[in-house]
């Protein structure tokens, strides 16, 4: 009389060798993934530390772009690389002693700047659209006489024009409110706390010349994220492969009737 039995399938010839070979290949790939992940992860942090500096903005002079207490990342740049519309970090003892200041560059050496024409800032005779200003606020609350910015210097304003101690507060100084390019140490790329992200491009200045290109902050973030994924995936290979191997070895096989 036939009977149905359940028994563990015998190991086929050569199966153990194939499994071991596959396991070794997987381990190699796992190791490569972890190594590459560490390079990307740590390299991204090192790259970011070399190129960027964090700053906390203590005043409301740059709202709504940057609020009181916001943490920003600013790329280290030479003052000669600064263009119109950039938000920069600088230090000038005639403004504030031993403290960094964050303002927006609205005119560079050789430009003429004044305000206001039809309610807008005017640079080199062109009216500038400034969508980063608080909604409904004027381009300036005081009349700016026509100022010609000397070569090698910058004219800067806060985005909150009503309460910003910017170039308009220093018009009677010898430099007529301008700051040397050499005083600039960094250009703000993004607000990282709270997470507002990258600053919007100041497209209103495009008619006057090229704008600064965004820094590599986005690439650095992607490198760090990709590195973390590779490290986690590579590190998880061993435990996952072990669980799958034990599951296969313990799987019963149903024999045919005999």
């Amino acid at each position: 009389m036939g009977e149905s039995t359940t028994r563990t399938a015998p190991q086929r010839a050569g199966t153990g060798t194939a499994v071991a070979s596959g396991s070794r290949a997987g381990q190699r790939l796992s190791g490569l993934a972890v190594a590459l992940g560490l390079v990307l992860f740590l390299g991204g942090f090192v790259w970011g530390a070399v190129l960027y500096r964090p700053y906390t903005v203590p005043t409301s002079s740059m709202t709504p772009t940057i609020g009181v207490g916001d943490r920003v990342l600013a790329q280290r740049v030479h003052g000669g690389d600064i263009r119109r519309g950039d938000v920069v970090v600088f230090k000038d003892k005639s403004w504030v002693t031993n403290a960094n200041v964050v303002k927006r560059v609205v005119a560079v050496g050789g430009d003429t700047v004044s305000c206001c024409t039809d309610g807008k800032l005017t640079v080199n005779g062109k009216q500038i659209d400034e969508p980063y200003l608080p909604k409904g606020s004027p381009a300036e609350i005081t009349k700016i006489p026509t100022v010609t910015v000397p070569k090698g210097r910058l004219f800067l304003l806060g985005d909150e024009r009503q309460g910003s101690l910017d170039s308009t507060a220093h018009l009677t100084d010898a430099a007529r409110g301008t700051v040397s390019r050499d005083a600039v140490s960094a250009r703000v790329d993004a607000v990282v706390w709270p997470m507002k992200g990258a600053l919007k491009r100041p497209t209103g200045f495009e008619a006057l010349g090229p704008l600064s290109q965004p820094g590599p902050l986005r690439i650095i973030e992607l490198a760090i994220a990709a590195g973390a994924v590779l490290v986690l995936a590579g590190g998880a290979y061993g435990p996952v492969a072990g669980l799958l191997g034990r599951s296969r070895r313990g799987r019963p096989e149903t024999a045919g009737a005999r």
Side-chain angles (χ1 to χ4, degrees), residues 32-166:
L32 286 173
V34 171
L36 178 58
L38 286 173
V39 169
L40 289 173
F41 187 78
L42 298 177
F45 273 110
V46 171
W47 189 15
V50 170
L51 286 183
Y52 286 91
R53 293 187 62 186
Y55 295 92
T56 299
V57 179
T59 70
S60 61
S61 67
M62 286 299 295
T63 56
T65 305
I66 306 170
V68 180
D70 282 3
R71 192 77 164 168
V72 303
L73 281 181
Q75 183 182 357
R76 302 171 195 255
V77 296
H78 186 271
D81 297 327
I82 296 303
R83 301 179 186 275
R84 303 176 190 88
D86 290 345
V87 176
V88 299
V89 180
F90 67 94
K91 187 178 289 187
D92 189 316
K93 64 181 181 180
S94 68
W95 287 43
V96 181
T97 302
N98 296 323
N100 289 304
V101 182
V102 178
K103 302 293 179 188
R104 188 182 297 274
V105 176
V106 298
V108 298
D111 289 347
T112 57
V113 57
S114 63
C115 196
C116 297
T117 304
D118 296 331
K120 292 186 177 183
L121 185 73
T122 301
V123 181
N124 297 343
K126 297 183 181 296
Q127 295 179 29
I128 307 300
D129 289 322
E130 300 184 275
Y132 42 77
L133 297 181
K135 189 174 182 180
S137 70
E140 185 53 65
I141 60 170
T142 61
K143 182 173 178 59
I144 304 176
T146 301
V147 175
T148 299
V149 183
K151 294 292 184 181
R153 301 189 71 85
L154 307 167
F155 196 89
L156 307 104
L157 299 176
D159 287 357
E160 175 48 83
R161 303 286 162 82
Q162 297 187 47
S164 177
L165 296 177
D166 48 33

Side-chain angles (χ1 to χ4, degrees), residues 173-200:
D173 295 352
R176 299 203 69 187
T178 64
V179 171
S180 171
R181 282 182 176 272
D182 293 336
V184 174
S185 59
R187 179 180 59 230
V188 177
D189 265 10
V191 179
V192 293
W193 186 260
M195 287 291 292
K196 296 181 181 179
L199 300 191
K200 294 181 180 178

Side-chain angles (χ1 to χ4, degrees), residues 215-235:
L217 184 59
R218 183 60 176 165
I219 298 174
I220 292 171
E221 291 174 342
L222 291 174
I224 292 172
V229 170
L230 285 172
V231 169
L232 291 174

